[in-house]
Amino acid sequence: MPEKRVGNVYIRYLTLATFLPLCLVALHFLGFEPIRIAVPFLVFIAGIGIIAFAALGRRAFDLFDPTRLAGSLFNDFGGWLAQVSAGGFRWEDKSFQTHAHRQTISIAETLQTLSDLAATHANLDSAPLLEFSMSVLALLAEYQRRKLRIPTDSLWFEQKYEHKSWYLTEDTTVQLAHHAGISLNPSSVPEYNWLENRLQPIPLRCFELNVGRKRLDNVRDLLAGIDAYIAALATSGNVRGTAQLAEKIQSIYDQSCPTPANEKQKEQAEDAGMADAVCFLSCESWWLIAVRSSRGLRSLLGQGSSTFNGATPIPCIPAASSPRNCGNSNGCCPA
């Protein structure tokens, strides 16, 4: 887990509050006159320590629901994202971009661990996991808007090696490699959807659990969050990610709710509504892709139209939306 800021502040305060009385006792034993005003001052700082201990003790109950500890992770993620975006602290420094990428990988792995803990406990796989998954979806939706401010050659994006083809590489490079008797050096290709690939399994697993256990209210809320995320993907131009996510949702639903071929099931109204919502999600994703493609084509042709056959333009995601409403300008959703 990341730094526990509240606990660290309390320990430092407790150390100071303990050290001051010891200093006053030592001065008294050395023959100095006692400082009368120090008594109400010590009572005051001791009272603050007791109140702070009560607040810190309430936070200990969060250990029964580890997903509540994700707030600091979202704040840290927003801080690293703000620093690698255009205008951030050393945003053009390659070494700093690599450092921010590694720190974000650690945050993503911790979020995955929290999701695994919640999914494997009966008292956490319903409302706590749903709330956590909704926060992750809100984080990803906001990330789609702010990712456009990161340079495409930034090392924030995960780098993977791709081997060159002998028949598609320039002749000079092929000749040098042939005469030297070596293979072609692989080229580094950025993976722009690396964070989405790491965090999308969290809401997808929550969707699979709730569909399999017929928690229709949870499925409805989760589909609403996924719908907003798909709209953010399409708005940012991530066509492939939009289509792949819709296909994954459809595949998970088909596997979790199989229909026997030899017998007819009495389909309840709730099940029919859930099936309609999943199908509508797939149709909407392709409609958003069509809207995005039409806007790009019209922009290239110079027509400048902001609508598609009279459709309402897709609104941008507000910068103030953030997981758990952190409200921190340097946190999960800085302006």
Side-chain angles (χ1 to χ4, degrees):
M1 291 300 293
E3 297 178 354
K4 301 177 179 60
R5 296 182 179 87
V6 177
N8 292 338
V9 171
Y10 177 75
I11 293 298
R12 293 171 185 173
Y13 178 82
L14 184 62
T15 302
L16 179 62
T18 306
F19 179 70
L20 287 178
L22 290 177
C23 291
L24 294 175
V25 171
L27 291 175
H28 177 68
F29 280 113
L30 291 176
F32 290 91
E33 291 292 331
I35 304 176
R36 304 297 180 184
I37 196 174
V39 176
F41 177 73
L42 293 177
V43 172
F44 176 73
I45 62 175
I48 294 179
I50 294 173
I51 297 174
F53 178 76
L56 187 64
R58 286 196 300 269
R59 291 176 61 90
F61 290 98
D62 291 343
L63 297 176
F64 296 102
D65 182 6
T67 60
R68 294 186 177 273
L69 303 176
S72 58
L73 293 172
F74 294 143
N75 291 336
D76 291 342
F77 169 77
W80 292 116
L81 181 59
Q83 293 180 18
V84 298
S85 301
F89 175 72
R90 298 179 64 181
W91 64 284
E92 295 179 321
D93 189 347
K94 296 297 183 181
S95 60
F96 187 80
Q97 295 169 1
T98 303
H99 176 69
H101 172 74
R102 291 175 179 173
Q103 294 297 321
T104 307
I105 287 180
S106 177
I107 293 174
E109 291 177 349
T110 306
L111 291 174
Q112 291 172 347
T113 301
L114 293 178
S115 174
D116 294 338
L117 288 174
T120 53
H121 288 75
N123 60 325
L124 299 176
D125 64 355
S126 181
L129 181 59
L130 174 64
E131 182 182 358
F132 178 63
S133 300
M134 294 292 290
S135 298
V136 172
L137 287 171
L139 179 72
L140 288 174
E142 177 67 18
Y143 173 66
Q144 299 308 308
R145 182 185 66 85
R146 297 181 53 194
K147 187 170 67 172
L148 301 178
R149 298 184 58 191
I150 304 177
T152 55
D153 60 347
S154 174
L155 294 182
W156 161 268
F157 299 107
E158 194 170 80
Q159 304 294 314
K160 63 179 181 180
Y161 290 104
E162 187 177 80
H163 291 281
K164 298 179 180 178
S165 174
W166 287 88
Y167 300 101
L168 299 178
T169 309
E170 57 272 12
D171 184 67
T172 304
T173 304
V174 173
Q175 291 295 332
L176 290 175
H178 177 71
H179 290 296
I182 60 176
S183 61
L184 297 176
N185 293 326
S187 57
S188 179
V189 179
E191 176 59 46
Y192 296 109
N193 293 327
W194 68 274
L195 185 63
E196 291 88 338
N197 295 335
R198 288 177 178 269
L199 295 183
Q200 279 183 6
I202 295 177
L204 292 178
R205 186 174 186 181
C206 179
F207 177 75
E208 182 179 5
L209 286 174
N210 286 282
V211 169
R213 298 178 182 180
K214 300 295 183 180
R215 295 169 178 165
L216 302 181
D217 291 339
N218 291 352
V219 172
R220 180 191 57 197
D221 296 339
L222 192 59
L223 285 177
I226 294 175
D227 180 69
Y229 174 47
I230 285 180
L233 285 171
T235 304
S236 63
N238 194 343
V239 175
R240 179 179 299 178
T242 305
Q244 289 179 349
L245 180 59
E247 292 176 358
K248 290 178 181 178
I249 293 293
Q250 184 69 46
S251 176
I252 291 174
Y253 178 77
D254 293 340
Q255 294 176 3
S256 300
C257 297
T259 302
N262 299 328
E263 59 179 290
K264 296 181 179 179
Q265 291 183 336
K266 293 183 179 180
E267 195 173 30
Q268 298 180 358
E270 293 84 357
D271 296 334
M274 183 169 59
D276 290 342
V278 173
C279 294
F280 175 77
L281 194 67
S282 300
C283 296
E284 184 185 24
S285 65
W286 288 109
W287 180 82
L288 291 172
I289 291 173
V291 171
R292 177 68 185 185
S293 301
S294 174
R295 289 178 180 174
L297 181 60
R298 290 173 183 269
S299 177
L300 290 175
L301 296 177
Q303 296 181 10
S305 176
S306 61
T307 59
F308 178 66
N309 290 338
T312 304
I314 303 174
C316 296
I317 303 172
S321 63
S322 63
R324 303 183 184 275
N325 298 324
C326 58
N328 187 357
S329 61
N330 293 323
C332 48
C333 293

